């Protein structure tokens, strides 16, 4: 046996102190003992450790005996009244466990509730409330399940009847619930409706924009997204509160979100350069006149809508006429291109 | 069952029920533990005595709040450590260990009667050197090593007493021994 390293000799010493507490030395105690009998260097090293331990133990013991404070401690504590606090392991344990687990449990519970509210409520709401879906191809180069489409693809289909479909091009989707939401969808993708009526989009170059209505939770390529409305121009058809955002300088498209007073449904017609003869969600409520680019656009509403949203896109209407049966009219000259730079908030002021 | 045979928790319950003398068993059981813990950390034997007393008295006063799920020894060492830190702060006595050296030199050697005076002096000097080397060890190595050597505790008891895993105790003791050897060899090599 070669001389073990000092580390192994230390392990041997430790094992000697208590044989059943081996520290995993690769040599047996017997092998060490035989080696130590013949090797003076290793023997001296081990003996030095053992001797140091012995001196440390015995002399500390002696020092301790000389300086033991046991009597003084007991004299002191005899005069000390103990705390009146009753010592019972059960209540103490209960209190300890209560404080150990109650607050973490409460925190986890609250986080779970908040997470549920945060991540589930909107989805659940849309799942519960979206009932009808309309889809329209707004570009002549649009394909639905591989077939070219222009105009309505389907109209007010129960969401539960939809499964998966492929879109390629530019589409507008209308989701009807207690209110209406309208999305512009551009790109090539597969749209799926899961068992909870939750819409998911998978594909390349997906561009989805909320045109009107409230924000929507969607799944895009596996990631949850909350779709928000941006850069809409909102015109409230209340003469007293008529106002226009002026941050969009060019009107390319017009969409109208009209909450008709006689109905709980909101109606969102869309007008663009491929304006259909009849707008699917609006055909029974409006009449439109369309001329070529720059022509006059006219809506006739059966009742006064609460708001109109205008979103620029690709056409430039010379003017828009919004009216209803109550004979409210906007200024026909208001929507000229010039009037949008800057947009005049008085443009849609009603007249009797 | 005599008091000596009772567990720490049983003794604490006795003390709290009014049997003050049951506390003396806990003092006997753990005074050396606290003493050796402080010996490797404090310079004055008088300060060590004070801290030992204060630690046991403080533990007695707060016995009702002791969590029976903990080890009494670990709780006591925590109290002693806190008192030691406070006393160092207040007295600023962390000075060279003159008092301790004197105490060591006055200590009766275990083999005093059978050994020659020169041997006794050599042994005392060796004890002092060992103690000084231990004081240079990192804090976390000191207690397991002293509990192992001075108090002859098993690894498991050390782990329970200071609340660290068993394997950590083994590693720290091994590391303490290795460091002590290295330090000793270095000092032996240094010219006087």
């Amino acid at each position: 046996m070669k001389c073990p390293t000092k580390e192994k000799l230390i392990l041997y010493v430790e094992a000697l102190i208590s044989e059943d507490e081996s520290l995993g030395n690769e040599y047996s105690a017997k092998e060490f003992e035989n080696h130590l009998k013949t090797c003076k260097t290793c023997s001296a090293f081990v003996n030095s450790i053992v001797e140091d331990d012995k001196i440390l133990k015995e002399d500390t013991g002696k020092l301790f005996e000389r300086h033991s404070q046991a009597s003084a401690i007991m004299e002191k504590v005899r005069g000390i009244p103990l705390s009146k606090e009753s010592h019972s392991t059960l209540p103490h344990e209960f209190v300890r466990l209560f404080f150990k687990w109650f607050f973490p449990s409460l925190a986890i519970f609250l986080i779970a509730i908040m997470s549920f509210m945060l991540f589930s409520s909107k989805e659940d709401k849309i799942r519960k409330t979206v009932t009808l879906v309309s889809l329209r191809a707004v570009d002549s180069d649009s394909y639905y399940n591989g077939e070219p489409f222009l105009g309505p693809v389907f109209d007010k289909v129960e969401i539960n009847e939809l499964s998966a479909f492929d879109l390629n091009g530019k589409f507008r989707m209308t989701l009807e619930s207690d209110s209406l939401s309208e999305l512009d969808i551009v790109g090539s993708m597969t749209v799926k409706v899961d068992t909870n009526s939750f819409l998911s989009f998978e594909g390349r170059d997906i561009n989805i924009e909320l045109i009107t209505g409230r924000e929507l939770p969607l799944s895009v390529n596996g990631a949850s997204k909350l779709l928000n409305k941006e850069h809409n121009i909102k015109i409230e058809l209340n003469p007293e509160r008529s106002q226009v955002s002026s941050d969009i300088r060019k009107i390319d498209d017009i969409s109208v979100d009209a909450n008709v007073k006689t109905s709980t449904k909101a109606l969102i017609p869309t007008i663009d350069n491929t304006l259909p003869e009849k707008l699917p969600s609006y055909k029974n409520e409006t009449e439109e006149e369309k001329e070529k680019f720059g022509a006059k656009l006219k809506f006739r509403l059966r009742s006064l809508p609460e708001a109109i949203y205008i979103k620029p896109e690709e056409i430039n209407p010379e003017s828009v006429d919004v009216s209803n049966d109550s004979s409210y009219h906007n200024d026909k000259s208001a929507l000229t291109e010039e009037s949008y730079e800057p947009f005049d908030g008085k443009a849609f002021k009603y007249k009797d | 069952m005599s008091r000596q045979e009772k567990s720490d928790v049983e003794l604490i319950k006795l003390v709290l029920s009014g049997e003050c003398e049951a506390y003396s068993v806990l003092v006997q059981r753990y005074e050396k533990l606290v003493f050796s813990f402080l010996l490797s950390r404090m310079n004055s034997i008088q300060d060590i005595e004070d801290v030992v007393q204060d630690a046991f008295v403080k533990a007695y006063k707060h016995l009702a709040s002791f969590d029976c799920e903990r080890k009494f020894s670990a709780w006591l060492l925590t109290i002693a450590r806190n008192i030691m830190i406070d006393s160092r702060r207040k007295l600023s006595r962390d000075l060279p260990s003159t008092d301790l050296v004197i105490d060591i030199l006055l200590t009766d050697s275990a083999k005093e009667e059978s050994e020659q005076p020169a041997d006794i002096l050599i042994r005392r000097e060796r004890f002092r050197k060992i103690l000084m080397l231990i004081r240079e060890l990192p804090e976390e190595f000191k207690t397991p090593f002293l509990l192992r050597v001075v108090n002859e505790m098993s690894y498991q008891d050390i782990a329970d007493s200071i609340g660290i895993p068993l394997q950590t105790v083994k590693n720290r003791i091994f590391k303490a021994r290795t460091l002590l050897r290295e330090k000793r060899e270095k000092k032996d090599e240094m010219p006087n």
Side-chain angles (χ1 to χ4, degrees):
Chain A
M1 181 180 172
K2 285 197 297 185
C3 284
T5 60
K6 286 179 181 175
E7 285 74 21
K8 283 175 180 167
L9 288 169
I10 289 170
L11 285 172
Y12 167 72
V13 173
E14 267 301 300
L16 271 186
I17 295 170
S18 175
E19 287 181 9
D20 61 332
E21 289 178 344
S22 168
L23 289 175
N25 214 321
E26 64 189 84
Y27 301 111
S28 70
K30 192 79 180 167
E31 284 174 306
F32 267 105
E33 281 161 20
N34 289 337
H35 177 73
L36 292 174
K37 280 177 192 170
T38 56
C39 179
K40 285 184 180 176
T41 312
C42 292
S43 176
F45 184 83
V46 169
N47 287 340
S48 166
I49 297 173
V50 172
E51 190 64 22
D52 278 358
D53 278 9
K54 196 176 175 186
I55 290 172
L56 182 63
K57 183 192 152 202
E58 289 178 354
D59 287 18
T60 303
K62 284 285 177 187
L63 197 62
F64 167 69
E65 282 171 23
R66 281 165 46 83
H67 297 279
S68 172
Q69 301 298 304
S71 306
I73 292 165
M74 288 313 294
E75 269 183 39
K76 279 190 176 177
V77 301
R78 281 185 195 110
I80 297 170
L82 269 177
S83 164
K84 296 289 179 192
E85 185 185 342
S86 64
H87 181 79
S88 167
T89 53
L90 187 62
H92 182 81
E93 183 64 5
F94 175 76
V95 169
R96 194 184 67 80
L97 288 175
F98 180 79
F99 282 105
K100 186 177 179 182
W101 294 110
F102 177 74
F103 290 110
S105 304
L106 184 67
I108 290 166
F109 178 74
L110 288 175
I111 288 167
I113 293 288
M114 286 169 71
S115 304
F116 178 77
M117 288 169 70
L118 189 66
F119 295 111
S120 304
S121 62
K122 284 178 179 169
E123 290 177 11
D124 283 352
K125 226 174 185 176
I126 201 75
R127 284 167 191 170
K128 284 172 188 169
T129 55
V130 171
T131 52
L132 300 173
V133 181
S134 301
L135 185 71
R136 192 166 62 83
V138 294
D139 191 310
S140 57
D141 200 20
S142 299
Y143 294 84
Y144 172 82
N145 282 339
E147 296 289 325
F149 265 84
L150 179 61
V153 178
F154 52 78
D155 187 25
K156 296 188 178 181
V157 174
E158 288 282 345
I159 193 165
N160 293 333
E161 292 175 12
L162 294 169
S163 54
F165 51 88
D166 295 326
L167 300 180
N168 190 352
K170 185 176 179 183
F171 294 84
R172 182 151 292 179
M173 181 181 279
T174 307
L175 302 169
E176 292 190 34
S177 58
D178 52 342
S179 66
L180 266 169
S181 297
E182 194 173 46
L183 318 179
D184 258 3
I185 303 165
V186 182
S188 175
M189 72 210 74
T190 301
V191 183
K192 291 177 183 170
V193 182
D194 69 15
T195 51
N196 293 316
S197 304
F198 187 58
L199 286 167
S200 66
F201 297 78
E202 290 172 15
R204 293 178 289 112
D205 303 323
I206 301 173
N207 190 346
I208 305 169
E209 193 173 358
L210 182 66
I211 304 302
T212 55
R214 68 183 181 194
E215 60 184 10
L216 285 171
L218 300 170
S219 170
V220 180
N221 288 336
S224 292
K225 305 272 186 193
L226 195 61
L227 196 61
N228 291 304
K229 187 165 56 188
E230 289 180 348
H231 303 304
N232 284 329
I233 301 173
K234 182 177 179 181
I235 304 169
E236 295 190 2
L237 296 183
N238 180 332
E240 304 302 319
R241 297 187 300 153
S242 178
Q243 58 178 21
V244 176
S245 166
S246 61
D247 56 349
I248 294 176
R249 302 302 175 92
K250 186 181 172 189
I251 292 183
D252 297 320
D253 175 40
I254 298 173
S255 60
V256 178
D257 180 1
N259 292 315
V260 181
K261 283 183 177 177
T262 54
S263 167
T264 56
K265 288 183 180 176
L267 303 169
I268 306 171
T270 301
I271 303 158
D272 57 27
N273 61 346
T274 57
L275 188 72
E277 288 297 312
K278 297 286 183 184
L279 294 172
S281 60
Y282 219 65
K283 56 189 174 186
N284 298 323
E285 313 271 344
T286 64
E287 291 175 15
E288 313 88 48
E289 284 179 22
K290 184 203 168 198
E291 294 176 13
K292 296 277 184 182
F293 177 82
K296 192 189 294 178
L297 297 177
K298 185 178 178 183
F299 297 90
R300 187 169 295 282
L301 308 180
R302 286 184 177 177
S303 58
L304 178 65
E306 289 176 358
I308 290 179
Y309 296 85
I310 296 180
K311 168 76 178 167
E313 202 138 286
E314 288 178 349
I315 64 166
N316 237 332
E318 190 180 43
S319 67
V320 175
D321 185 308
V322 181
S323 62
N324 69 358
D325 289 342
S326 305
S327 299
Y328 283 92
H329 299 280
N330 73 311
D331 185 344
K332 290 185 181 180
S333 63
L335 287 176
T336 58
E337 191 172 0
E338 292 79 13
S339 69
Y340 279 85
E341 292 184 330
F343 200 100
D344 182 1
K346 295 178 181 175
F348 271 34
K349 191 169 182 179
Y350 286 110
K351 293 177 187 172
D352 285 333
Chain B
M1 185 192 285
S2 71
R3 277 182 185 161
Q4 299 290 344
E5 293 168 318
K6 289 188 186 297
S7 70
D8 292 351
V9 173
E10 287 171 328
L11 289 167
I12 289 165
K13 284 178 181 173
L14 280 177
V15 175
L16 290 166
S17 66
E19 285 188 46
C20 175
E21 292 306 313
Y23 196 65
S24 66
V25 182
L26 289 170
V27 175
Q28 284 168 22
R29 203 172 279 177
Y30 296 112
E31 192 191 354
K32 193 174 177 184
L33 177 79
V34 179
F35 182 86
S36 51
F37 171 81
L38 296 171
L39 192 63
S40 62
R41 289 167 173 82
M42 299 187 79
N43 287 329
S44 158
I45 200 78
Q46 182 60 49
D47 286 350
I48 292 172
E49 287 179 351
D50 290 346
V51 174
V52 169
Q53 271 195 44
D54 290 350
F56 276 98
V57 171
K58 191 170 183 180
Y60 180 84
K61 281 180 182 171
H62 296 91
L63 213 51
S65 65
F66 172 66
D67 177 0
C68 290
E69 280 225 330
R70 289 184 67 186
K71 278 273 177 182
F72 180 74
S73 52
W75 185 58
L76 190 63
L77 287 179
T78 305
I79 292 171
R81 181 187 282 114
N82 292 339
I83 294 171
M84 175 188 76
I85 292 165
D86 283 349
S87 72
R88 273 183 185 169
R89 203 178 292 139
K90 284 175 191 167
L91 303 171
S92 302
R93 283 198 199 166
D94 208 8
L95 302 169
S97 53
T98 318
D99 290 352
L100 195 64
V101 174
I102 293 166
D103 272 301
I104 291 165
L105 293 175
L106 290 172
T107 303
D108 293 326
S109 170
K111 293 188 175 177
E112 198 167 3
E113 289 176 8
S114 58
E115 287 179 352
Q116 296 297 312
D119 293 337
I120 293 167
L121 284 175
I122 291 168
R123 182 188 170 99
R124 285 174 184 167
E125 179 58 18
R126 191 166 169 178
F127 176 46
R128 193 188 64 80
K129 276 186 181 174
I130 296 165
L131 210 51
M132 293 302 117
L133 289 174
I134 291 169
R135 291 158 73 88
E136 289 174 16
L137 286 175
E139 278 299 305
E140 66 269 26
F141 296 159
K142 287 179 188 175
T143 309
F145 178 72
L146 286 168
L147 295 183
R148 178 73 168 163
V149 177
V150 176
N151 297 65
E152 295 180 288
M153 289 167 72
S154 69
Y155 294 123
Q156 189 59 60
D157 285 348
I158 295 168
D160 291 343
S161 289
I162 56 179
I164 56 174
L166 180 65
Q167 191 55 45
T168 308
V169 171
K170 290 180 179 181
N171 292 341
R172 286 185 184 177
I173 290 171
F174 173 74
K175 191 72 183 166
R177 285 195 182 282
T178 309
L179 285 173
L180 283 174
R181 283 294 105 189
E182 287 171 4
K183 285 176 185 291
R184 182 170 177 159
E185 282 169 10
K186 270 185 192 171
K187 291 205 171 174
D188 288 348
E189 284 168 11
M190 284 170 68
N192 288 326

